[in-house]
Amino acid sequence: MHPWERDARLLKKALKKGPPHYNVIVEIACTRSSDQLLGARKAYHSLFDRSIEEDLASHVKGSERKLLVALVSAYRYEGPKVKEDAAKSEAKALLNAIKNNNGDHKKAAMEEDEVIWILTTRSKPHLKVVYEQYKKISAKTITEDLEVELLLKETVECLCTPQTYFTRVFDTALREDAKEDAKKALTRLVATQEDVDLKGIATKFEDKIKERVKGAYKDVLLGVLADDRK
């Protein structure tokens, strides 16, 4: 299957399965290049006679809809240039939004338009600088401050610290009590991240794969990871 078609079908499946699987949409939207994501959107048109934006807007509710529609619609700048002053300013804006209290009610960061705007339009190199600036002005990282907003946390991880996200996928899938969805997430990761260097993660978890994974699934994981190390 062509990668664009594969991603389009993964998006459709995640949307049908509902909120517990929205992380798949985040993963695809945030770890693919701009052209790869655009290709998946085009494939979605051809396969389902609708846009992914349409389907997300129709089926997802609340602040999650705003985030997911903006993420899949993004076509980010992929050059190396970063505006340091803007990154510092946006780190402060994120900190204020995440720590924001509305009287007695703590407002979710995902409900803040500026948070959505920064995370869905800025380039990945720029967002990595924002992430570092946030860490300098806060006692924690952005992801540590977003523990209760899991979808937004995964968005930040995939954009700013993808190796952290990938490591967590490996760790969750290779636990003795791992659920089937966690194992599928690992399969999806190693089969779809063509442009990502998984060498360090593969080395870290290879013993666990050999020890805990059985049969054809084990052969597939070790084969893909072996190819990645060449």
Side-chain angles (χ1 to χ4, degrees):
M1 193 182 298
H2 191 283
W4 295 356
E5 179 184 352
R6 175 204 65 208
D7 283 349
R9 293 188 183 278
L10 286 170
L11 289 166
K12 185 71 169 180
K13 189 173 183 179
L15 186 56
K16 281 186 175 181
K17 287 189 171 183
H21 297 268
Y22 288 167
N23 65 303
V24 178
I25 301 172
V26 168
E27 181 184 305
I28 292 172
C30 297
T31 64
R32 306 301 192 256
S33 70
S34 294
D35 284 335
Q36 287 169 339
L37 180 57
L38 179 60
R41 289 165 60 196
K42 289 179 177 179
Y44 198 100
H45 289 179
S46 299
L47 290 166
F48 307 116
D49 297 319
R50 293 171 65 85
S51 71
I52 179 60
E53 294 91 338
E54 272 184 283
D55 279 348
L56 285 169
S58 298
H59 295 94
V60 182
K61 306 301 180 184
S63 53
E64 288 182 338
R65 173 169 57 190
K66 186 189 297 184
L67 173 66
L68 293 176
V69 170
L71 284 175
V72 300
S73 302
Y75 191 85
R76 301 175 192 271
Y77 165 69
E78 295 188 328
K81 292 184 179 179
V82 174
K83 294 181 179 179
E84 294 282 345
D85 290 343
K88 290 179 182 178
S89 175
E90 288 162 14
K92 292 177 183 177
L94 287 176
L95 179 63
N96 290 335
I98 292 170
K99 301 285 189 180
N100 182 44
N101 282 287
N102 246 351
D104 295 329
H105 172 65
K106 185 173 177 62
K107 189 175 181 181
M110 202 186 299
E111 296 176 12
E112 296 282 359
D113 288 341
E114 194 161 19
V115 172
I116 303 298
W117 172 78
I118 293 169
L119 294 179
T120 61
T121 65
R122 289 302 197 185
S123 72
K124 293 174 186 178
H126 182 96
L127 288 172
K128 288 176 181 178
V129 176
V130 172
Y131 186 92
E132 292 303 320
Q133 289 298 326
Y134 186 103
K135 191 175 179 180
K136 289 180 180 179
I137 61 176
S138 174
K140 299 180 179 179
T141 64
I142 302 176
T143 49
E144 287 172 332
D145 277 339
L146 288 172
E147 283 296 335
V148 296
E149 293 192 60
L150 185 57
L151 198 64
L152 200 59
K153 175 185 175 179
E154 290 178 336
T155 299
V156 173
E157 279 186 344
C158 287
L159 290 168
C160 302
T161 59
Q163 293 295 321
T164 300
Y165 174 80
F166 299 149
T167 299
R168 184 155 51 81
V169 171
F170 269 79
D171 183 58
T172 304
L174 295 173
R175 292 174 184 170
E176 291 184 358
D177 59 347
K179 296 181 179 179
E180 193 62 29
D181 282 342
K183 295 177 182 178
K184 288 180 179 179
L186 177 55
T187 304
R188 182 184 67 247
L189 181 70
V190 298
T192 64
Q193 294 295 334
E194 299 97 342
D195 300 329
V196 175
D197 182 4
L198 296 173
K199 292 178 183 178
I201 302 174
T203 301
K204 182 178 179 181
F205 288 97
E206 190 166 3
D207 288 343
K208 283 188 177 181
I209 294 173
K210 291 178 178 178
E211 176 188 340
R212 296 179 182 173
V213 183
K214 307 297 182 184
Y217 181 60
K218 174 181 177 179
D219 294 338
V220 169
L221 287 179
L222 289 176
V224 172
L225 295 176
D227 287 342
D228 188 70
R229 290 198 296 271
K230 290 178 181 178

